[in-house]
Amino acid sequence: MTDKKDKLAQYKKKRDFRKTAEPAGETAEFSWADKRPIFVIQKHDASSLHYDFRLEVDGVLKSWAVPKGPATDPKTKRLAVPTEDHPLEYADFEGVIPEGEYGAGTVMVWDRGNYETLTKDDGGSEDDSIEKQLARGRVTIQLHGEKLAGGYALIRTGKGEDVRWLLIKMDDKNADARRNPVSSQPKSVKTGRTLNQIRKEAEKE
Ligand code: MN
């Protein structure tokens, strides 16, 4: 196992913990998760609005920024741009990152829960651990969130500087082309607040 501190070097380098309330630590207990590993999706109103999709992998949160957020229609492919690993503790972060700091803007816990890796249908001998799936650039997981449920795939495409990932709902009983949770369920699953309420309450502090 790689040293957790090394994995978070990029995360820590980008932030001044005297100025931002984002977590620097690595504690990892979640009262809201009855199983591990966890996933969290944070709505982040930074220079442009996006959804940070994070998966617990080997002691950190592997992260992608999804500009349009996750869909429930299997025909919809959503761009997912990889970002630096975040500490596990970040899954509980909701608040405002101050002006001038990296990622300045409001963060909301938009969805959370636990996930399982899906094994290949062919029952083949390939290692289906999340680490191996990430290395292969083809991740299939089952989400158990409050808004999102069922299979999702993260697929790596392109090469070199053109590497990008796509987040796609798998075609299962939870797929629903009529749903659009990004617009119909905009509030925090942690506090029930809107982005505006989070921002205003942070200003009062
Ligand atoms: Mn972000």
Side-chain angles (χ1 to χ4, degrees):
M1 197 198 273
T2 339
D3 186 355
K4 222 188 283 176
K5 287 202 171 72
D6 288 339
K7 286 194 194 171
L8 293 173
Q10 209 191 343
Y11 172 85
K12 289 179 178 169
K13 200 176 152 198
K14 288 181 172 185
R15 289 168 176 80
D16 182 345
F17 295 106
R18 291 165 302 180
K19 293 182 180 160
T20 180
E22 295 167 288
E26 287 145 29
T27 60
E29 278 181 40
F30 304 107
S31 56
W32 46 266
D34 50 359
K35 282 183 189 161
R36 303 287 285 269
I38 58 141
F39 83 95
V40 64
I41 300 173
Q42 281 155 318
K43 188 174 179 179
H44 186 184
D45 191 10
S47 48
S48 61
L49 181 76
H50 59 271
Y51 293 74
D52 289 300
F53 186 82
R54 311 190 197 278
L55 297 176
E56 177 181 5
V57 177
D58 194 18
V60 294
L61 292 172
K62 288 280 164 198
S63 300
W64 293 260
V66 183
K68 291 186 177 172
T72 51
D73 180 355
K75 291 195 182 73
T76 306
K77 296 180 172 72
R78 290 282 156 88
L79 175 66
V81 182
T83 58
E84 77 273 20
D85 294 350
H86 277 51
L88 283 179
E89 211 188 338
Y90 206 93
D92 280 331
F93 179 71
E94 183 170 275
V96 174
I97 303 169
E99 281 303 315
E101 293 306 293
Y102 178 74
T106 310
V107 177
M108 169 201 287
V109 178
W110 184 79
D111 198 14
R112 63 187 179 186
N114 69 289
Y115 77 90
E116 300 154 76
T117 52
L118 289 169
T119 47
K120 290 173 81 79
D121 292 334
D122 61 11
S125 55
E126 274 189 281
D127 182 344
D128 290 306
S129 70
I130 187 73
E131 290 89 347
K132 288 279 161 56
Q133 293 195 15
L134 284 164
R136 286 199 298 264
R138 192 176 179 87
V139 174
T140 52
I141 50 178
Q142 182 93 8
L143 300 183
H144 305 280
E146 294 183 37
K147 294 174 184 173
L148 301 185
Y152 275 82
L154 270 162
I155 309 292
R156 187 173 61 211
T157 65
K159 281 187 178 150
E161 298 206 341
D162 295 323
V163 166
R164 48 181 55 205
W165 292 69
L166 297 169
L167 177 66
I168 308 163
K169 178 76 195 78
M170 291 166 75
D171 201 356
D172 57 20
K173 67 175 169 56
N174 298 106
D176 188 344
R178 291 160 306 177
R179 253 186 95 199
N180 185 10
V182 163
S183 58
S184 63
Q185 295 170 274
K187 293 180 184 174
S188 166
V189 293
K190 181 181 177 182
T191 60
R193 295 182 295 176
T194 62
L195 277 175
N196 258 330
Q197 287 170 323
I198 295 167
R199 191 181 306 119
K200 282 183 183 153
E201 282 170 32
E203 279 166 9
K204 278 188 255 164
E205 279 165 15

